[in-house]
Amino acid sequence: MALPTRAATALLQLGLIAIVFAALPYKVFELDRYLVPKELVLHVVSLSLAIALLPRTRTTKLNAADMLLAAFLIWSFASALFATNHWLAQRAVSLSVASAVVFWGAKRLGAEGAHRKILVAAAVATVCAAVTGLAQAYGLENDYFSANRAPGGTFGNRNFVAHFCAIGLPALVYATVTARRPLAALAGSLSCGAVVALLVLSRSRASWLAVSACTVVLVLPLFASRKYWGGQRIGGRFARIALSAAVAAFMAAYLPNSLNWRSDSPYLDSALRMVDYASGSGRGRVAQYLNSARMAADDPLLGVGPGNWPVRYVRFARASDPSIADDGMTANPWPSSDWVAFVSERGTVGAIALAGAFVFLFISAFRRWNELPDSGAVLAKVAQIGTIAATLVVSAFDAVLLLAAPALLAWSVIGATSGIVGIRAAETGATQGVGRGGRDVTFPRGPWRVAVALLLLVQTLSVVRSATQVAAIATVGQGGSRAAWTAAAALDPGSYRINLRAAEMQWRSGRCTAARVYARQAVALYPHAAAPKRVLRVCS
């Protein structure tokens, strides 16, 4: 394995684990203190992969998934040009670009034999995420945990950590059944139990559905792949994982914990309401989806712009809509579905292109197993199928690919497994093989250098933007003075919350001239927001 490959693999492994723990202790920013640091990790990993791998990839093999993913990015850029809030558009598009670079980088590393190392790192990251959630569930108090949506651990939200664990579970099972040492396999089985316990305690119905769907989807691939690994110890390890999961689920449901559920049977209630769309949050989702569909119909070609769903949604929703908070803004900065977001924000063409890429990757994972070098590679393809299934299910009911941590995990695993090279390709040193079928393309040297330079510039700017957002949050700290909020607004002028808070503090200090500056900036970011308009009226 060449030095750039080893370095890129190590960086990706480190990033997968680091993104789990990336969080800030400043509770004033209850959501962004988790999201922004994780976005910074994603952008740093993506930029590092591009620097390490791009100089060696002027000639590559492109298949349908690559071209559809590229089309999705191009369409996202076009949509962003017409967005109302360009700061939100830049943040959303940069996350998509970083995710795509991670996918292509992991695919290249998988083709060079690093797929197992990447999947093991994904498995370790999944266990680490589960441990942070379990620690909070069983009483550990920490400034990096949020009490609002426990047990979220270092993700700040029980749904977020559950989504991450559901997506990473196939990689953890793969790492366990293919472990080279019995002790590692035992540790993997116990780790699977810990992840299942976290999933039970999270009461995340989307994650429960994802794991259930993944289990059903994998029945046929596991049965079909048995001829490649039958006679080995793998079957017994699967049985031990199932036993560990069952015991862990029972213990999580019945052992005392520090979670303050209102129901006497919280886990049974969640299970019974798993597909309930007639009441509660399910009913709210239906209303949100219908309003978002109206939003998409208003501009079906390009949508309202990446990341701009919360800016425009208030135009299509009633005041009684559960998605609208008391201040007239959306309660969350995204809809409760990646695909609702993609259709409404980036138009039908962009959403279809991304969905097509997933369909191609899913189907291609079933092909040409007889060309794979060993049973471990076959099981890696099975893990690819499971990861795609889990990702698609959770992303149908919550924001997943829109967030940095699950996006890094999903695209790393899918990329590494889709890049696995067959025996004949490995013997000839060719880049084609299982998962890498397509057309060889050699980009002209001049345009290629320009494209690489532009990509590195975009990714560098994304790193800088995320870093300044982290700096803005740290500047405010646990509350912040007027000077701290105005300094934070200079660091992160695209933050509606920071600009609004700076405007209100300036107004209350009798500084209406300065208040109008920040209030106008807040209105420019969210034209339908009422709070900054009140400041402007008072200071007129």
PDB file of all heavy atoms in Angstrom, residues 423-445:
ATOM      1  N   ILE A 423     -10.390 -10.253  -8.094  1.00  0.00           N
ATOM      2  CA  ILE A 423      -9.096 -10.942  -8.183  1.00  0.00           C
ATOM      3  C   ILE A 423      -8.353 -10.572  -9.450  1.00  0.00           C
ATOM      4  O   ILE A 423      -7.170 -10.231  -9.428  1.00  0.00           O
ATOM      5  CB  ILE A 423      -9.305 -12.467  -8.109  1.00  0.00           C
ATOM      6  CG1 ILE A 423      -9.894 -12.859  -6.753  1.00  0.00           C
ATOM      7  CG2 ILE A 423      -7.994 -13.202  -8.342  1.00  0.00           C
ATOM      8  CD1 ILE A 423     -10.280 -14.310  -6.652  1.00  0.00           C
ATOM      9  N   ARG A 424      -9.038 -10.621 -10.585  1.00  0.00           N
ATOM     10  CA  ARG A 424      -8.350 -10.359 -11.851  1.00  0.00           C
ATOM     11  C   ARG A 424      -7.822  -8.936 -11.918  1.00  0.00           C
ATOM     12  O   ARG A 424      -6.729  -8.686 -12.396  1.00  0.00           O
ATOM     13  CB  ARG A 424      -9.302 -10.631 -13.023  1.00  0.00           C
ATOM     14  CG  ARG A 424      -9.519 -12.108 -13.291  1.00  0.00           C
ATOM     15  CD  ARG A 424     -10.525 -12.332 -14.386  1.00  0.00           C
ATOM     16  NE  ARG A 424     -11.865 -11.919 -13.973  1.00  0.00           N
ATOM     17  CZ  ARG A 424     -12.933 -12.006 -14.748  1.00  0.00           C
ATOM     18  NH1 ARG A 424     -12.835 -12.473 -15.974  1.00  0.00           N
ATOM     19  NH2 ARG A 424     -14.119 -11.630 -14.306  1.00  0.00           N
ATOM     20  N   ALA A 425      -8.616  -7.993 -11.426  1.00  0.00           N
ATOM     21  CA  ALA A 425      -8.147  -6.608 -11.429  1.00  0.00           C
ATOM     22  C   ALA A 425      -6.951  -6.436 -10.514  1.00  0.00           C
ATOM     23  O   ALA A 425      -6.000  -5.712 -10.830  1.00  0.00           O
ATOM     24  CB  ALA A 425      -9.279  -5.676 -11.004  1.00  0.00           C
ATOM     25  N   ALA A 426      -6.985  -7.098  -9.348  1.00  0.00           N
ATOM     26  CA  ALA A 426      -5.862  -6.994  -8.415  1.00  0.00           C
ATOM     27  C   ALA A 426      -4.597  -7.596  -9.006  1.00  0.00           C
ATOM     28  O   ALA A 426      -3.486  -7.073  -8.831  1.00  0.00           O
ATOM     29  CB  ALA A 426      -6.219  -7.687  -7.101  1.00  0.00           C
ATOM     30  N   GLU A 427      -4.733  -8.703  -9.734  1.00  0.00           N
ATOM     31  CA  GLU A 427      -3.562  -9.347 -10.328  1.00  0.00           C
ATOM     32  C   GLU A 427      -2.935  -8.498 -11.426  1.00  0.00           C
ATOM     33  O   GLU A 427      -1.718  -8.479 -11.591  1.00  0.00           O
ATOM     34  CB  GLU A 427      -3.964 -10.713 -10.889  1.00  0.00           C
ATOM     35  CG  GLU A 427      -4.289 -11.737  -9.803  1.00  0.00           C
ATOM     36  CD  GLU A 427      -4.820 -13.030 -10.400  1.00  0.00           C
ATOM     37  OE1 GLU A 427      -5.148 -13.021 -11.616  1.00  0.00           O
ATOM     38  OE2 GLU A 427      -4.905 -14.027  -9.659  1.00  0.00           O
ATOM     39  N   THR A 428      -3.764  -7.777 -12.180  1.00  0.00           N
ATOM     40  CA  THR A 428      -3.251  -6.965 -13.287  1.00  0.00           C
ATOM     41  C   THR A 428      -2.886  -5.553 -12.862  1.00  0.00           C
ATOM     42  O   THR A 428      -2.307  -4.799 -13.634  1.00  0.00           O
ATOM     43  CB  THR A 428      -4.289  -6.887 -14.408  1.00  0.00           C
ATOM     44  OG1 THR A 428      -5.495  -6.283 -13.885  1.00  0.00           O
ATOM     45  CG2 THR A 428      -4.616  -8.270 -14.943  1.00  0.00           C
ATOM     46  N   GLY A 429      -3.270  -5.197 -11.618  1.00  0.00           N
ATOM     47  CA  GLY A 429      -2.994  -3.839 -11.146  1.00  0.00           C
ATOM     48  C   GLY A 429      -3.955  -2.823 -11.707  1.00  0.00           C
ATOM     49  O   GLY A 429      -3.757  -1.620 -11.567  1.00  0.00           O
ATOM     50  N   ALA A 430      -5.030  -3.281 -12.348  1.00  0.00           N
ATOM     51  CA  ALA A 430      -6.010  -2.370 -12.927  1.00  0.00           C
ATOM     52  C   ALA A 430      -6.915  -1.819 -11.838  1.00  0.00           C
ATOM     53  O   ALA A 430      -7.060  -2.389 -10.767  1.00  0.00           O
ATOM     54  CB  ALA A 430      -6.849  -3.089 -13.980  1.00  0.00           C
ATOM     55  N   THR A 431      -7.569  -0.701 -12.129  1.00  0.00           N
ATOM     56  CA  THR A 431      -8.469  -0.095 -11.157  1.00  0.00           C
ATOM     57  C   THR A 431      -9.875  -0.639 -11.277  1.00  0.00           C
ATOM     58  O   THR A 431     -10.696  -0.435 -10.406  1.00  0.00           O
ATOM     59  CB  THR A 431      -8.527   1.432 -11.347  1.00  0.00           C
ATOM     60  OG1 THR A 431      -8.944   1.722 -12.686  1.00  0.00           O
ATOM     61  CG2 THR A 431      -7.196   2.060 -11.071  1.00  0.00           C
ATOM     62  N   GLN A 432     -10.179  -1.346 -12.356  1.00  0.00           N
ATOM     63  CA  GLN A 432     -11.534  -1.841 -12.476  1.00  0.00           C
ATOM     64  C   GLN A 432     -11.689  -3.135 -11.691  1.00  0.00           C
ATOM     65  O   GLN A 432     -10.740  -3.838 -11.404  1.00  0.00           O
ATOM     66  CB  GLN A 432     -11.917  -2.066 -13.933  1.00  0.00           C
ATOM     67  CG  GLN A 432     -11.364  -3.348 -14.545  1.00  0.00           C
ATOM     68  CD  GLN A 432     -11.852  -3.525 -15.960  1.00  0.00           C
ATOM     69  OE1 GLN A 432     -11.539  -2.722 -16.809  1.00  0.00           O
ATOM     70  NE2 GLN A 432     -12.597  -4.576 -16.197  1.00  0.00           N
ATOM     71  N   GLY A 433     -12.891  -3.425 -11.324  1.00  0.00           N
ATOM     72  CA  GLY A 433     -13.180  -4.619 -10.553  1.00  0.00           C
ATOM     73  C   GLY A 433     -14.580  -4.543 -10.019  1.00  0.00           C
ATOM     74  O   GLY A 433     -15.369  -3.721 -10.458  1.00  0.00           O
ATOM     75  N   VAL A 434     -14.903  -5.375  -9.088  1.00  0.00           N
ATOM     76  CA  VAL A 434     -16.238  -5.359  -8.522  1.00  0.00           C
ATOM     77  C   VAL A 434     -16.507  -3.990  -7.905  1.00  0.00           C
ATOM     78  O   VAL A 434     -15.723  -3.480  -7.123  1.00  0.00           O
ATOM     79  CB  VAL A 434     -16.379  -6.468  -7.469  1.00  0.00           C
ATOM     80  CG1 VAL A 434     -17.732  -6.384  -6.790  1.00  0.00           C
ATOM     81  CG2 VAL A 434     -16.194  -7.826  -8.123  1.00  0.00           C
ATOM     82  N   GLY A 435     -17.620  -3.412  -8.283  1.00  0.00           N
ATOM     83  CA  GLY A 435     -17.976  -2.108  -7.752  1.00  0.00           C
ATOM     84  C   GLY A 435     -17.315  -0.958  -8.474  1.00  0.00           C
ATOM     85  O   GLY A 435     -17.632   0.183  -8.238  1.00  0.00           O
ATOM     86  N   ARG A 436     -16.386  -1.225  -9.400  1.00  0.00           N
ATOM     87  CA  ARG A 436     -15.706  -0.130 -10.094  1.00  0.00           C
ATOM     88  C   ARG A 436     -15.868  -0.257 -11.604  1.00  0.00           C
ATOM     89  O   ARG A 436     -15.081   0.264 -12.375  1.00  0.00           O
ATOM     90  CB  ARG A 436     -14.223  -0.103  -9.723  1.00  0.00           C
ATOM     91  CG  ARG A 436     -13.977   0.369  -8.302  1.00  0.00           C
ATOM     92  CD  ARG A 436     -12.508   0.560  -8.020  1.00  0.00           C
ATOM     93  NE  ARG A 436     -11.898   1.558  -8.866  1.00  0.00           N
ATOM     94  CZ  ARG A 436     -11.889   2.865  -8.611  1.00  0.00           C
ATOM     95  NH1 ARG A 436     -12.509   3.331  -7.564  1.00  0.00           N
ATOM     96  NH2 ARG A 436     -11.281   3.702  -9.417  1.00  0.00           N
ATOM     97  N   GLY A 437     -16.892  -0.991 -12.040  1.00  0.00           N
ATOM     98  CA  GLY A 437     -17.159  -1.070 -13.460  1.00  0.00           C
ATOM     99  C   GLY A 437     -17.574   0.289 -13.983  1.00  0.00           C
ATOM    100  O   GLY A 437     -18.212   1.072 -13.304  1.00  0.00           O
ATOM    101  N   GLY A 438     -17.254   0.574 -15.215  1.00  0.00           N
ATOM    102  CA  GLY A 438     -17.601   1.848 -15.806  1.00  0.00           C
ATOM    103  C   GLY A 438     -16.676   2.148 -16.958  1.00  0.00           C
ATOM    104  O   GLY A 438     -16.052   1.261 -17.537  1.00  0.00           O
ATOM    105  N   ARG A 439     -16.572   3.416 -17.278  1.00  0.00           N
ATOM    106  CA  ARG A 439     -15.781   3.830 -18.431  1.00  0.00           C
ATOM    107  C   ARG A 439     -14.531   4.553 -17.955  1.00  0.00           C
ATOM    108  O   ARG A 439     -14.582   5.453 -17.118  1.00  0.00           O
ATOM    109  CB  ARG A 439     -16.628   4.759 -19.305  1.00  0.00           C
ATOM    110  CG  ARG A 439     -15.951   5.200 -20.594  1.00  0.00           C
ATOM    111  CD  ARG A 439     -16.971   5.827 -21.516  1.00  0.00           C
ATOM    112  NE  ARG A 439     -17.599   6.994 -20.906  1.00  0.00           N
ATOM    113  CZ  ARG A 439     -17.133   8.248 -21.025  1.00  0.00           C
ATOM    114  NH1 ARG A 439     -16.023   8.479 -21.703  1.00  0.00           N
ATOM    115  NH2 ARG A 439     -17.772   9.260 -20.467  1.00  0.00           N
ATOM    116  N   ASP A 440     -13.365   4.140 -18.499  1.00  0.00           N
ATOM    117  CA  ASP A 440     -12.116   4.817 -18.164  1.00  0.00           C
ATOM    118  C   ASP A 440     -12.124   6.231 -18.723  1.00  0.00           C
ATOM    119  O   ASP A 440     -12.434   6.445 -19.901  1.00  0.00           O
ATOM    120  CB  ASP A 440     -10.923   4.051 -18.734  1.00  0.00           C
ATOM    121  CG  ASP A 440     -10.588   2.822 -17.905  1.00  0.00           C
ATOM    122  OD1 ASP A 440     -10.576   2.942 -16.674  1.00  0.00           O
ATOM    123  OD2 ASP A 440     -10.356   1.756 -18.495  1.00  0.00           O
ATOM    124  N   VAL A 441     -11.780   7.184 -17.881  1.00  0.00           N
ATOM    125  CA  VAL A 441     -11.756   8.588 -18.290  1.00  0.00           C
ATOM    126  C   VAL A 441     -10.426   9.183 -17.858  1.00  0.00           C
ATOM    127  O   VAL A 441     -10.035   9.071 -16.692  1.00  0.00           O
ATOM    128  CB  VAL A 441     -12.915   9.387 -17.656  1.00  0.00           C
ATOM    129  CG1 VAL A 441     -12.797  10.860 -17.999  1.00  0.00           C
ATOM    130  CG2 VAL A 441     -14.262   8.832 -18.105  1.00  0.00           C
ATOM    131  N   THR A 442      -9.731   9.795 -18.806  1.00  0.00           N
ATOM    132  CA  THR A 442      -8.519  10.549 -18.511  1.00  0.00           C
ATOM    133  C   THR A 442      -8.804  12.016 -18.777  1.00  0.00           C
ATOM    134  O   THR A 442      -9.084  12.415 -19.909  1.00  0.00           O
ATOM    135  CB  THR A 442      -7.336  10.083 -19.371  1.00  0.00           C
ATOM    136  OG1 THR A 442      -7.076   8.691 -19.113  1.00  0.00           O
ATOM    137  CG2 THR A 442      -6.088  10.896 -19.049  1.00  0.00           C
ATOM    138  N   PHE A 443      -8.773  12.804 -17.733  1.00  0.00           N
ATOM    139  CA  PHE A 443      -9.096  14.222 -17.874  1.00  0.00           C
ATOM    140  C   PHE A 443      -7.905  14.977 -18.467  1.00  0.00           C
ATOM    141  O   PHE A 443      -6.747  14.708 -18.115  1.00  0.00           O
ATOM    142  CB  PHE A 443      -9.446  14.817 -16.512  1.00  0.00           C
ATOM    143  CG  PHE A 443     -10.644  14.197 -15.869  1.00  0.00           C
ATOM    144  CD1 PHE A 443     -10.503  13.212 -14.894  1.00  0.00           C
ATOM    145  CD2 PHE A 443     -11.922  14.593 -16.228  1.00  0.00           C
ATOM    146  CE1 PHE A 443     -11.604  12.632 -14.297  1.00  0.00           C
ATOM    147  CE2 PHE A 443     -13.037  14.010 -15.637  1.00  0.00           C
ATOM    148  CZ  PHE A 443     -12.875  13.034 -14.668  1.00  0.00           C
ATOM    149  N   PRO A 444      -8.135  15.918 -19.376  1.00  0.00           N
ATOM    150  CA  PRO A 444      -7.041  16.747 -19.907  1.00  0.00           C
ATOM    151  C   PRO A 444      -6.309  17.458 -18.778  1.00  0.00           C
ATOM    152  O   PRO A 444      -6.924  17.907 -17.810  1.00  0.00           O
ATOM    153  CB  PRO A 444      -7.770  17.751 -20.818  1.00  0.00           C
ATOM    154  CG  PRO A 444      -9.065  17.089 -21.156  1.00  0.00           C
ATOM    155  CD  PRO A 444      -9.444  16.267 -19.956  1.00  0.00           C
ATOM    156  N   ARG A 445      -4.995  17.551 -18.921  1.00  0.00           N
ATOM    157  CA  ARG A 445      -4.177  18.052 -17.825  1.00  0.00           C
ATOM    158  C   ARG A 445      -4.579  19.461 -17.382  1.00  0.00           C
ATOM    159  O   ARG A 445      -4.731  19.733 -16.182  1.00  0.00           O
ATOM    160  CB  ARG A 445      -2.698  18.044 -18.238  1.00  0.00           C
ATOM    161  CG  ARG A 445      -1.738  18.373 -17.094  1.00  0.00           C
ATOM    162  CD  ARG A 445      -0.286  18.297 -17.573  1.00  0.00           C
ATOM    163  NE  ARG A 445       0.018  16.968 -18.087  1.00  0.00           N
ATOM    164  CZ  ARG A 445       0.391  15.950 -17.323  1.00  0.00           C
ATOM    165  NH1 ARG A 445       0.480  16.111 -16.011  1.00  0.00           N
ATOM    166  NH2 ARG A 445       0.673  14.781 -17.852  1.00  0.00           N
TER     167      ARG A 445
END
